[in-house]
């Protein structure tokens, strides 16, 4: 199969998690930069990366890269791209999005218009026609200009990968599915360990954790734009990827994942989302304020996205809310605490300086992921014995 340069955009600050996922799928990462990871892959990789990657927003297929500082250069370089290799005669094509950063060409609408004209001229010449029906598959183009370097890609995904298909019921200030997965991956949590979210909202942390525990592919219940591209991605690639996803699934896994919120409507929404995702049997949701949060188990994890105080009336409640979270955490036996927040006084009111914190952009909002890791649980006797045998 032909090899492509594929690009996986991700949240700024979480490139390492996306790189690790791609490597675990068996593909070669060729470049990592702020907010995206580039890797080499064939048609099968397009299907598998869309279906299995948890932390990327979409999969882009790079068709060209060049330098342009004038619109004439942009037109000619776009026209030189072999569009006929990718877009059939009846394909519907347009420049869906153009971003320009630190470049002399900066008008998105002009960039889109000129590139569309260049694509039309190229395809008119190659297909020997003056008009295209554009009644076939969709081939949206995404363009980024960075310091006058133009990167041209086809979007294989369509609707962003953070939309797994389960979150119909949402609440205010939800965390995206891709960001929730990446943050969970930043912790040592595994499916057999306790996980609790005392501010669960629509249930995203709990649902993503349950999907991980059950080895459920995040794209298992949705479709992708490139499934229409039978000229590039054979249907067998999608069929094989979905069969692999079904074979991996372990719906009977035992978990201890709990989500709490003070709002009964929010808890109802979280339950609906979990049911839609197929993991409702793996999560316990309950209406409960953070002041009543407790757990008798040891070595558990709190991973949560508490209110940041976006509204003035919320800010007044933040000191007490974060102080209470810190107090409840202190009463737990050997637990770990992980908090994503944009509130600058997070550590002060939780009552402890974080062991680590990481700057992460949640959309355009700068947040920090505060980490208070607890002790590791002792190894089970069988695990210790196996480790000693290997050393011997």
């Amino acid at each position: 199969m032909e090899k492509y340069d594929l690009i996986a955009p991700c949240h700024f600050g979480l490139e390492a998690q996306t790189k690790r996922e791609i490597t675990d799928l068996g593909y070669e990462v060729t470049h990592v930069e702020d907010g995206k990871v580039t890797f080499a892959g064939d048609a099968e990789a397009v299907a598998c990366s869309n279906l299995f990657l948890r932390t990327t927003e979409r999969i882009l297929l790079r068709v060209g890269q060049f330098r342009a500082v004038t619109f004439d250069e942009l037109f000619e370089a776009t026209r030189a791209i072999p569009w006929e290799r990718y877009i059939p005669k009846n394909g519907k094509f347009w420049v869906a999005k153009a971003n320009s950063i630190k470049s002399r060409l900066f008008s998105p609408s002009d960039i889109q218009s000129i590139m569309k004209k260049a694509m039309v001229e190229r395809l008119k010449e190659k297909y020997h026609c003056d008009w295209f029906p554009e009644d076939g598959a969709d081939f949206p183009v995404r363009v980024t200009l960075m310091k006058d370097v133009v990167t041209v890609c086809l979007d294989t995904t369509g609707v962003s990968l953070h939309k797994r298909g389960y979150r119909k019921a949402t609440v205010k200030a939800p965390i995206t599915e891709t960001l929730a997965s990446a943050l969970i991956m930043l912790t040592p949590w595994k499916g057999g360990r306790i996980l609790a979210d005392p501010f669960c909202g629509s249930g995203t942390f709990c649902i993503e954790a349950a999907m991980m525990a059950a080895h459920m592919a995040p794209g298992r219940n949705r479709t992708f734009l490139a499934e229409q591209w039978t000229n590039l991605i054979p249907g067998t690639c999608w069929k094989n990827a979905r069969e692999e996803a079904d074979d991996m699934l372990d719906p009977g896994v035992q978990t201890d994942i709990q989500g709490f919120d003070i709002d009964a409507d929010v808890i109802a929404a979280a339950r609906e989302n979990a049911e839609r995702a197929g993991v409702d049997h793996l999560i316990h949701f309950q209406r409960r304020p953070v002041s009543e949060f407790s757990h008798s188990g040891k070595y558990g994890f709190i991973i949560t996205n508490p209110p940041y105080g976006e509204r003035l009336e919320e800010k007044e409640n933040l000191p007490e809310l974060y102080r209470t979270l810190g107090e409840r955490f202190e009463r737990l036996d050997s637990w770990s605490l992980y908090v994503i927040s944009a509130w600058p006084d997070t550590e002060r009111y939780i009552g402890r300086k974080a062991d680590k914190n990481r700057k992460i952009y949640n959309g355009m909002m700068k947040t920090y992921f505060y980490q208070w890791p607890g002790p590791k649980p002792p190894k089970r006797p069988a695990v210790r014995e196996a480790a000693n045998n290997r050393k011997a």
Side-chain angles (χ1 to χ4, degrees), residues 101-174:
I101 303 169
K102 299 179 180 177
S103 299
R104 275 167 274 191
L105 302 179
F106 56 84
S107 168
S109 60
D110 289 338
I111 292 166
Q112 289 169 297
S113 175
I114 287 166
M115 293 187 71
K116 169 72 175 189
K117 289 176 183 176
M119 294 170 67
V120 168
E121 288 302 311
R122 170 81 185 204
L123 293 175
K124 279 168 63 177
E125 176 188 337
K126 295 299 178 179
Y127 287 129
H128 307 290
C129 64
D130 293 322
W131 178 81
F132 299 98
E134 295 199 57
D135 57 0
D138 291 346
F139 291 85
V141 176
R142 288 182 168 246
V143 184
T144 302
L145 283 76
M146 171 63 78
K147 296 180 180 177
D148 299 322
V149 174
V150 185
T151 302
V152 187
C153 299
L154 288 170
D155 177 12
T156 74
T157 301
V159 176
S160 175
L161 289 176
H162 81 263
K163 295 190 176 180
R164 318 286 204 215
Y166 67 74
R167 200 165 71 177
K168 302 291 193 246
T170 59
V171 298
K172 62 183 179 181

Side-chain angles (χ1 to χ4, degrees), residues 240-258:
N240 292 341
R242 292 189 185 281
E243 286 179 353
E244 182 180 351
D246 289 342
D247 290 342
M248 288 171 50
L249 187 62
D250 182 13
V253 66
Q254 298 296 308
T255 62
D256 189 344
I257 300 172
Q258 303 181 15

Side-chain angles (χ1 to χ4, degrees), residues 2-205:
E2 183 178 355
K3 281 287 184 77
Y4 302 111
D5 288 327
L6 303 174
I7 298 175
C10 58
H11 286 274
F12 283 85
L14 294 171
E15 296 82 5
Q17 280 59 52
T18 300
K19 178 184 177 181
R20 187 176 72 188
E21 278 200 287
I22 292 167
T23 302
D24 288 346
L25 275 181
Y27 302 116
E28 178 191 359
V29 171
T30 56
H31 190 60
V32 179
E33 56 190 300
D34 288 347
K36 64 182 180 180
V37 180
T38 302
F39 63 104
D42 54 13
E44 183 183 80
V46 173
C48 288
S49 55
N50 270 296
L51 200 68
F52 291 106
L53 293 182
R54 299 182 188 277
T55 62
T56 181
E57 292 300 309
R58 61 186 65 251
I59 301 299
L60 303 174
L61 190 158
R62 188 167 67 193
V63 298
Q65 190 169 59
F66 51 85
R67 180 179 172 81
V69 296
T70 69
F71 284 120
D72 284 342
E73 289 178 346
L74 179 67
F75 181 91
E76 293 301 331
T78 301
R79 184 176 179 175
I81 294 172
W83 293 104
E84 66 279 3
R85 287 174 51 189
Y86 307 103
I87 302 174
K89 190 173 182 179
N90 70 336
K92 181 181 179 182
F93 57 96
W94 72 103
V95 182
K97 189 167 186 180
N99 287 327
S100 180
I101 303 169
K102 299 179 180 177
S103 299
R104 275 167 274 191
L105 302 179
F106 56 84
S107 168
S109 60
D110 289 338
I111 292 166
Q112 289 169 297
S113 175
I114 287 166
M115 293 187 71
K116 169 72 175 189
K117 289 176 183 176
M119 294 170 67
V120 168
E121 288 302 311
R122 170 81 185 204
L123 293 175
K124 279 168 63 177
E125 176 188 337
K126 295 299 178 179
Y127 287 129
H128 307 290
C129 64
D130 293 322
W131 178 81
F132 299 98
E134 295 199 57
D135 57 0
D138 291 346
F139 291 85
V141 176
R142 288 182 168 246
V143 184
T144 302
L145 283 76
M146 171 63 78
K147 296 180 180 177
D148 299 322
V149 174
V150 185
T151 302
V152 187
C153 299
L154 288 170
D155 177 12
T156 74
T157 301
V159 176
S160 175
L161 289 176
H162 81 263
K163 295 190 176 180
R164 318 286 204 215
Y166 67 74
R167 200 165 71 177
K168 302 291 193 246
T170 59
V171 298
K172 62 183 179 181
I175 192 167
T176 67
E177 294 86 333
T178 48
L179 179 55
S181 286
L183 295 179
I184 293 170
M185 289 178 187
L186 275 175
T187 79
W189 181 83
K190 300 297 179 188
R193 307 275 297 273
I194 303 165
L195 185 148
D197 182 354
F199 304 97
C200 72
S202 56
T204 309
F205 272 128

